[in-house]
Amino acid sequence: MELVRGLHNLRPRHRGCVVTIGNFDGVHAGHQAILERLRAHSERVGLPGCVVIFEPQPREYFAPQAAPPRLTRLRDKLALFEEQGIDRVLCLAFNRRLRELSAEEFVQQVLVDGLGVRHLEVGDDFRFGCDRSGDFAFLQESGKRHGFSVESTNTVAESGERISSTRLRQVLEEGDFQLAERLLGRPFSITGRVLHGQKLGRQLGSPTANVQLKRLRAPLNGVYRVSMELDGTIQKGVANIGTRPTVEGDGQPHLEVHLFDFDGDLYGRRVTVVFHEKLRDEQRFESLEALKLAIQADLAAARAQWGL
């Protein structure tokens, strides 16, 4: 799979493709259905399938602190696209210049001049361009003028409800990881590099791996039963994700994982933490001793659930 960062990196060889556009946060089952349609159409016409995404996501650009928490970072999203058989990803920087493009300018500069689009797959509620002035009907008219076809993607539902990134965030907030797995088509996980932290876990009797989040906000908050695959072996443990209100910190979300009966060196490794069950919300304790007792209770509860 090829990643192209920005319109200025498009070359003549990139023209002529089948395209879809969106944030694709989570790359959930609904997204996967769109990507499957894209891949199938690209195979039928013998052209590459291209996904156009934005970094940052538009709502992160307009209101970073109020934007919904990321389900997938760019690196993870790209890996999931590759698993889905996508040939090319065009990642556009969402900045003032892109924001001010009219719908007509977006079609002309990105889809026609940049990609030479032959077929476009989008949701019938897709909006784009300055002030979100472009819609599905506008794309259909543009396709007639510029010679590309446009199809709307079918809504994918689970238990009668549309699968969306918003619904997935709500399900994760409620701690329903079984439903989250059905919406995603895989268990919910967070991948990041293990960094050196404050070593507070060691002082509290439960050393933890500090997993880099690289998010303004985290999609989870609390204490969870988790697992991690290391060198072909599933390691079981407990994770805390939140701002650590009991200890003085930077106010940013952190992911700390304690693995049972493990004393290996994880520093610098990229790891994937799989979430299975929420044990409790994050809370502020009056003392480190009270926090230590709560951690011991969390570990005991998780061990019992794991049958350890």
Side-chain angles (χ1 to χ4, degrees), residues 21-23 54 58 94 103 106 122-139:
I21 309 171
N23 288 322
F54 309 97
F94 197 91
F106 184 91
V122 292
D124 58 12
D125 59 350
F126 178 67
R127 303 299 292 261
F128 68 102
C130 185
D131 299 323
R132 294 166 56 85
S133 57
D135 57 12
F136 184 75
F138 180 86
L139 285 171

PDB file of all heavy atoms in Angstrom, residues 21-23 54 58 94 103 106 122-139:
ATOM      1  N   ILE A  21     -13.799   8.813   0.483  1.00  0.00           N
ATOM      2  CA  ILE A  21     -13.307   9.915   1.314  1.00  0.00           C
ATOM      3  C   ILE A  21     -13.944   9.825   2.694  1.00  0.00           C
ATOM      4  O   ILE A  21     -15.132   9.535   2.818  1.00  0.00           O
ATOM      5  CB  ILE A  21     -13.669  11.280   0.703  1.00  0.00           C
ATOM      6  CG1 ILE A  21     -13.265  11.354  -0.761  1.00  0.00           C
ATOM      7  CG2 ILE A  21     -13.029  12.420   1.485  1.00  0.00           C
ATOM      8  CD1 ILE A  21     -13.793  12.605  -1.479  1.00  0.00           C
ATOM      9  N   GLY A  22     -13.154  10.100   3.729  1.00  0.00           N
ATOM     10  CA  GLY A  22     -13.728  10.138   5.070  1.00  0.00           C
ATOM     11  C   GLY A  22     -12.660  10.151   6.146  1.00  0.00           C
ATOM     12  O   GLY A  22     -11.457  10.120   5.867  1.00  0.00           O
ATOM     13  N   ASN A  23     -13.105  10.185   7.411  1.00  0.00           N
ATOM     14  CA  ASN A  23     -12.176  10.119   8.544  1.00  0.00           C
ATOM     15  C   ASN A  23     -11.768   8.682   8.847  1.00  0.00           C
ATOM     16  O   ASN A  23     -10.643   8.415   9.264  1.00  0.00           O
ATOM     17  CB  ASN A  23     -12.813  10.737   9.795  1.00  0.00           C
ATOM     18  CG  ASN A  23     -12.927  12.238   9.698  1.00  0.00           C
ATOM     19  OD1 ASN A  23     -12.038  12.901   9.177  1.00  0.00           O
ATOM     20  ND2 ASN A  23     -14.039  12.778  10.189  1.00  0.00           N
ATOM     21  N   PHE A  54      -7.960  12.831   6.232  1.00  0.00           N
ATOM     22  CA  PHE A  54      -7.484  14.144   6.654  1.00  0.00           C
ATOM     23  C   PHE A  54      -6.753  14.046   7.994  1.00  0.00           C
ATOM     24  O   PHE A  54      -7.161  13.303   8.885  1.00  0.00           O
ATOM     25  CB  PHE A  54      -8.664  15.110   6.798  1.00  0.00           C
ATOM     26  CG  PHE A  54      -9.557  15.157   5.593  1.00  0.00           C
ATOM     27  CD1 PHE A  54     -10.722  14.398   5.540  1.00  0.00           C
ATOM     28  CD2 PHE A  54      -9.236  15.948   4.502  1.00  0.00           C
ATOM     29  CE1 PHE A  54     -11.548  14.422   4.429  1.00  0.00           C
ATOM     30  CE2 PHE A  54     -10.048  15.980   3.374  1.00  0.00           C
ATOM     31  CZ  PHE A  54     -11.199  15.221   3.336  1.00  0.00           C
ATOM     32  N   PRO A  58     -11.116  16.930  10.712  1.00  0.00           N
ATOM     33  CA  PRO A  58     -11.670  18.288  10.701  1.00  0.00           C
ATOM     34  C   PRO A  58     -12.124  18.808  12.053  1.00  0.00           C
ATOM     35  O   PRO A  58     -11.831  19.958  12.407  1.00  0.00           O
ATOM     36  CB  PRO A  58     -12.850  18.161   9.722  1.00  0.00           C
ATOM     37  CG  PRO A  58     -12.383  17.123   8.756  1.00  0.00           C
ATOM     38  CD  PRO A  58     -11.624  16.121   9.585  1.00  0.00           C
ATOM     39  N   PHE A  94      -5.366  18.900   6.953  1.00  0.00           N
ATOM     40  CA  PHE A  94      -6.546  19.757   7.097  1.00  0.00           C
ATOM     41  C   PHE A  94      -6.085  21.053   7.750  1.00  0.00           C
ATOM     42  O   PHE A  94      -5.831  21.120   8.945  1.00  0.00           O
ATOM     43  CB  PHE A  94      -7.633  19.080   7.934  1.00  0.00           C
ATOM     44  CG  PHE A  94      -8.976  19.738   7.773  1.00  0.00           C
ATOM     45  CD1 PHE A  94      -9.856  19.308   6.795  1.00  0.00           C
ATOM     46  CD2 PHE A  94      -9.340  20.828   8.551  1.00  0.00           C
ATOM     47  CE1 PHE A  94     -11.086  19.928   6.609  1.00  0.00           C
ATOM     48  CE2 PHE A  94     -10.560  21.461   8.370  1.00  0.00           C
ATOM     49  CZ  PHE A  94     -11.438  21.006   7.399  1.00  0.00           C
ATOM     50  N   ALA A 103     -16.658  23.686  -2.496  1.00  0.00           N
ATOM     51  CA  ALA A 103     -16.941  22.313  -2.927  1.00  0.00           C
ATOM     52  C   ALA A 103     -16.454  22.099  -4.363  1.00  0.00           C
ATOM     53  O   ALA A 103     -15.867  21.056  -4.683  1.00  0.00           O
ATOM     54  CB  ALA A 103     -18.435  22.030  -2.818  1.00  0.00           C
ATOM     55  N   PHE A 106     -12.668  21.811  -4.354  1.00  0.00           N
ATOM     56  CA  PHE A 106     -12.240  20.520  -3.827  1.00  0.00           C
ATOM     57  C   PHE A 106     -12.349  19.440  -4.899  1.00  0.00           C
ATOM     58  O   PHE A 106     -11.424  18.650  -5.104  1.00  0.00           O
ATOM     59  CB  PHE A 106     -13.074  20.138  -2.601  1.00  0.00           C
ATOM     60  CG  PHE A 106     -12.637  18.860  -1.944  1.00  0.00           C
ATOM     61  CD1 PHE A 106     -11.702  18.865  -0.913  1.00  0.00           C
ATOM     62  CD2 PHE A 106     -13.151  17.627  -2.354  1.00  0.00           C
ATOM     63  CE1 PHE A 106     -11.286  17.684  -0.317  1.00  0.00           C
ATOM     64  CE2 PHE A 106     -12.741  16.446  -1.766  1.00  0.00           C
ATOM     65  CZ  PHE A 106     -11.802  16.473  -0.739  1.00  0.00           C
ATOM     66  N   VAL A 122     -19.154   7.228  -1.615  1.00  0.00           N
ATOM     67  CA  VAL A 122     -19.312   8.035  -0.402  1.00  0.00           C
ATOM     68  C   VAL A 122     -20.692   7.782   0.201  1.00  0.00           C
ATOM     69  O   VAL A 122     -21.602   7.295  -0.478  1.00  0.00           O
ATOM     70  CB  VAL A 122     -19.166   9.552  -0.680  1.00  0.00           C
ATOM     71  CG1 VAL A 122     -17.745   9.912  -1.063  1.00  0.00           C
ATOM     72  CG2 VAL A 122     -20.147  10.012  -1.734  1.00  0.00           C
ATOM     73  N   GLY A 123     -20.830   8.124   1.477  1.00  0.00           N
ATOM     74  CA  GLY A 123     -22.136   8.029   2.119  1.00  0.00           C
ATOM     75  C   GLY A 123     -23.061   9.115   1.584  1.00  0.00           C
ATOM     76  O   GLY A 123     -22.604  10.203   1.203  1.00  0.00           O
ATOM     77  N   ASP A 124     -24.356   8.832   1.565  1.00  0.00           N
ATOM     78  CA  ASP A 124     -25.283   9.835   1.023  1.00  0.00           C
ATOM     79  C   ASP A 124     -25.438  11.045   1.941  1.00  0.00           C
ATOM     80  O   ASP A 124     -26.069  12.041   1.575  1.00  0.00           O
ATOM     81  CB  ASP A 124     -26.651   9.214   0.703  1.00  0.00           C
ATOM     82  CG  ASP A 124     -27.289   8.558   1.924  1.00  0.00           C
ATOM     83  OD1 ASP A 124     -26.803   8.769   3.052  1.00  0.00           O
ATOM     84  OD2 ASP A 124     -28.283   7.829   1.738  1.00  0.00           O
ATOM     85  N   ASP A 125     -24.838  10.972   3.164  1.00  0.00           N
ATOM     86  CA  ASP A 125     -24.863  12.125   4.061  1.00  0.00           C
ATOM     87  C   ASP A 125     -23.515  12.862   4.085  1.00  0.00           C
ATOM     88  O   ASP A 125     -23.277  13.718   4.924  1.00  0.00           O
ATOM     89  CB  ASP A 125     -25.236  11.697   5.481  1.00  0.00           C
ATOM     90  CG  ASP A 125     -24.265  10.660   6.056  1.00  0.00           C
ATOM     91  OD1 ASP A 125     -23.418  10.135   5.290  1.00  0.00           O
ATOM     92  OD2 ASP A 125     -24.363  10.364   7.263  1.00  0.00           O
ATOM     93  N   PHE A 126     -22.616  12.522   3.162  1.00  0.00           N
ATOM     94  CA  PHE A 126     -21.280  13.116   3.126  1.00  0.00           C
ATOM     95  C   PHE A 126     -21.370  14.592   2.770  1.00  0.00           C
ATOM     96  O   PHE A 126     -22.040  14.978   1.821  1.00  0.00           O
ATOM     97  CB  PHE A 126     -20.417  12.368   2.099  1.00  0.00           C
ATOM     98  CG  PHE A 126     -19.027  12.917   1.939  1.00  0.00           C
ATOM     99  CD1 PHE A 126     -18.107  12.836   2.963  1.00  0.00           C
ATOM    100  CD2 PHE A 126     -18.642  13.520   0.738  1.00  0.00           C
ATOM    101  CE1 PHE A 126     -16.820  13.335   2.813  1.00  0.00           C
ATOM    102  CE2 PHE A 126     -17.358  14.016   0.579  1.00  0.00           C
ATOM    103  CZ  PHE A 126     -16.449  13.930   1.627  1.00  0.00           C
ATOM    104  N   ARG A 127     -20.676  15.449   3.541  1.00  0.00           N
ATOM    105  CA  ARG A 127     -20.613  16.880   3.276  1.00  0.00           C
ATOM    106  C   ARG A 127     -19.157  17.317   3.218  1.00  0.00           C
ATOM    107  O   ARG A 127     -18.318  16.796   3.955  1.00  0.00           O
ATOM    108  CB  ARG A 127     -21.338  17.673   4.376  1.00  0.00           C
ATOM    109  CG  ARG A 127     -22.794  17.297   4.594  1.00  0.00           C
ATOM    110  CD  ARG A 127     -23.635  17.519   3.354  1.00  0.00           C
ATOM    111  NE  ARG A 127     -23.787  18.922   3.013  1.00  0.00           N
ATOM    112  CZ  ARG A 127     -24.856  19.643   3.310  1.00  0.00           C
ATOM    113  NH1 ARG A 127     -25.887  19.086   3.945  1.00  0.00           N
ATOM    114  NH2 ARG A 127     -24.915  20.919   2.954  1.00  0.00           N
ATOM    115  N   PHE A 128     -18.854  18.292   2.375  1.00  0.00           N
ATOM    116  CA  PHE A 128     -17.467  18.713   2.204  1.00  0.00           C
ATOM    117  C   PHE A 128     -17.443  20.124   1.643  1.00  0.00           C
ATOM    118  O   PHE A 128     -18.469  20.694   1.266  1.00  0.00           O
ATOM    119  CB  PHE A 128     -16.729  17.749   1.262  1.00  0.00           C
ATOM    120  CG  PHE A 128     -17.222  17.803  -0.161  1.00  0.00           C
ATOM    121  CD1 PHE A 128     -16.507  18.490  -1.137  1.00  0.00           C
ATOM    122  CD2 PHE A 128     -18.407  17.183  -0.527  1.00  0.00           C
ATOM    123  CE1 PHE A 128     -16.965  18.557  -2.435  1.00  0.00           C
ATOM    124  CE2 PHE A 128     -18.867  17.238  -1.833  1.00  0.00           C
ATOM    125  CZ  PHE A 128     -18.144  17.928  -2.787  1.00  0.00           C
ATOM    126  N   GLY A 129     -16.236  20.697   1.591  1.00  0.00           N
ATOM    127  CA  GLY A 129     -16.070  22.045   1.068  1.00  0.00           C
ATOM    128  C   GLY A 129     -16.317  23.091   2.131  1.00  0.00           C
ATOM    129  O   GLY A 129     -16.810  22.795   3.229  1.00  0.00           O
ATOM    130  N   CYS A 130     -15.945  24.335   1.828  1.00  0.00           N
ATOM    131  CA  CYS A 130     -16.123  25.435   2.768  1.00  0.00           C
ATOM    132  C   CYS A 130     -17.584  25.516   3.216  1.00  0.00           C
ATOM    133  O   CYS A 130     -18.508  25.477   2.396  1.00  0.00           O
ATOM    134  CB  CYS A 130     -15.703  26.746   2.100  1.00  0.00           C
ATOM    135  SG  CYS A 130     -15.732  28.156   3.205  1.00  0.00           S
ATOM    136  N   ASP A 131     -17.787  25.592   4.534  1.00  0.00           N
ATOM    137  CA  ASP A 131     -19.131  25.623   5.136  1.00  0.00           C
ATOM    138  C   ASP A 131     -19.954  24.378   4.799  1.00  0.00           C
ATOM    139  O   ASP A 131     -21.183  24.420   4.802  1.00  0.00           O
ATOM    140  CB  ASP A 131     -19.902  26.887   4.708  1.00  0.00           C
ATOM    141  CG  ASP A 131     -19.204  28.162   5.147  1.00  0.00           C
ATOM    142  OD1 ASP A 131     -18.632  28.155   6.256  1.00  0.00           O
ATOM    143  OD2 ASP A 131     -19.214  29.147   4.392  1.00  0.00           O
ATOM    144  N   ARG A 132     -19.265  23.270   4.474  1.00  0.00           N
ATOM    145  CA  ARG A 132     -19.930  21.995   4.190  1.00  0.00           C
ATOM    146  C   ARG A 132     -20.994  22.159   3.092  1.00  0.00           C
ATOM    147  O   ARG A 132     -22.070  21.575   3.153  1.00  0.00           O
ATOM    148  CB  ARG A 132     -20.565  21.426   5.467  1.00  0.00           C
ATOM    149  CG  ARG A 132     -19.528  21.040   6.503  1.00  0.00           C
ATOM    150  CD  ARG A 132     -20.157  20.796   7.873  1.00  0.00           C
ATOM    151  NE  ARG A 132     -21.197  19.789   7.842  1.00  0.00           N
ATOM    152  CZ  ARG A 132     -21.010  18.487   7.927  1.00  0.00           C
ATOM    153  NH1 ARG A 132     -19.784  18.015   8.042  1.00  0.00           N
ATOM    154  NH2 ARG A 132     -22.025  17.657   7.919  1.00  0.00           N
ATOM    155  N   SER A 133     -20.648  22.960   2.080  1.00  0.00           N
ATOM    156  CA  SER A 133     -21.630  23.283   1.043  1.00  0.00           C
ATOM    157  C   SER A 133     -21.815  22.159   0.034  1.00  0.00           C
ATOM    158  O   SER A 133     -22.825  22.099  -0.676  1.00  0.00           O
ATOM    159  CB  SER A 133     -21.215  24.558   0.306  1.00  0.00           C
ATOM    160  OG  SER A 133     -19.911  24.409  -0.247  1.00  0.00           O
ATOM    161  N   GLY A 134     -20.832  21.244  -0.081  1.00  0.00           N
ATOM    162  CA  GLY A 134     -20.951  20.148  -1.030  1.00  0.00           C
ATOM    163  C   GLY A 134     -21.645  18.944  -0.418  1.00  0.00           C
ATOM    164  O   GLY A 134     -21.418  18.612   0.744  1.00  0.00           O
ATOM    165  N   ASP A 135     -22.504  18.297  -1.176  1.00  0.00           N
ATOM    166  CA  ASP A 135     -23.209  17.115  -0.688  1.00  0.00           C
ATOM    167  C   ASP A 135     -23.233  16.045  -1.781  1.00  0.00           C
ATOM    168  O   ASP A 135     -22.606  16.187  -2.840  1.00  0.00           O
ATOM    169  CB  ASP A 135     -24.619  17.461  -0.217  1.00  0.00           C
ATOM    170  CG  ASP A 135     -25.466  18.118  -1.305  1.00  0.00           C
ATOM    171  OD1 ASP A 135     -25.057  18.100  -2.492  1.00  0.00           O
ATOM    172  OD2 ASP A 135     -26.543  18.655  -0.989  1.00  0.00           O
ATOM    173  N   PHE A 136     -23.977  14.975  -1.531  1.00  0.00           N
ATOM    174  CA  PHE A 136     -24.020  13.856  -2.463  1.00  0.00           C
ATOM    175  C   PHE A 136     -24.584  14.283  -3.829  1.00  0.00           C
ATOM    176  O   PHE A 136     -24.038  13.899  -4.879  1.00  0.00           O
ATOM    177  CB  PHE A 136     -24.856  12.717  -1.869  1.00  0.00           C
ATOM    178  CG  PHE A 136     -24.874  11.480  -2.710  1.00  0.00           C
ATOM    179  CD1 PHE A 136     -23.775  10.632  -2.758  1.00  0.00           C
ATOM    180  CD2 PHE A 136     -25.990  11.146  -3.468  1.00  0.00           C
ATOM    181  CE1 PHE A 136     -23.776   9.485  -3.543  1.00  0.00           C
ATOM    182  CE2 PHE A 136     -26.003  10.005  -4.257  1.00  0.00           C
ATOM    183  CZ  PHE A 136     -24.892   9.175  -4.297  1.00  0.00           C
ATOM    184  N   ALA A 137     -25.623  15.090  -3.800  1.00  0.00           N
ATOM    185  CA  ALA A 137     -26.219  15.544  -5.060  1.00  0.00           C
ATOM    186  C   ALA A 137     -25.212  16.373  -5.857  1.00  0.00           C
ATOM    187  O   ALA A 137     -25.125  16.250  -7.088  1.00  0.00           O
ATOM    188  CB  ALA A 137     -27.476  16.371  -4.774  1.00  0.00           C
ATOM    189  N   PHE A 138     -24.439  17.209  -5.171  1.00  0.00           N
ATOM    190  CA  PHE A 138     -23.416  18.014  -5.841  1.00  0.00           C
ATOM    191  C   PHE A 138     -22.365  17.116  -6.487  1.00  0.00           C
ATOM    192  O   PHE A 138     -21.912  17.373  -7.609  1.00  0.00           O
ATOM    193  CB  PHE A 138     -22.765  18.968  -4.845  1.00  0.00           C
ATOM    194  CG  PHE A 138     -21.692  19.841  -5.432  1.00  0.00           C
ATOM    195  CD1 PHE A 138     -22.014  21.041  -6.041  1.00  0.00           C
ATOM    196  CD2 PHE A 138     -20.358  19.452  -5.389  1.00  0.00           C
ATOM    197  CE1 PHE A 138     -21.035  21.839  -6.605  1.00  0.00           C
ATOM    198  CE2 PHE A 138     -19.371  20.241  -5.944  1.00  0.00           C
ATOM    199  CZ  PHE A 138     -19.711  21.444  -6.556  1.00  0.00           C
ATOM    200  N   LEU A 139     -21.970  16.054  -5.790  1.00  0.00           N
ATOM    201  CA  LEU A 139     -20.987  15.119  -6.342  1.00  0.00           C
ATOM    202  C   LEU A 139     -21.535  14.417  -7.582  1.00  0.00           C
ATOM    203  O   LEU A 139     -20.795  14.204  -8.559  1.00  0.00           O
ATOM    204  CB  LEU A 139     -20.589  14.094  -5.281  1.00  0.00           C
ATOM    205  CG  LEU A 139     -19.654  14.595  -4.182  1.00  0.00           C
ATOM    206  CD1 LEU A 139     -19.516  13.544  -3.089  1.00  0.00           C
ATOM    207  CD2 LEU A 139     -18.280  14.945  -4.756  1.00  0.00           C
TER     208      LEU A 139
END
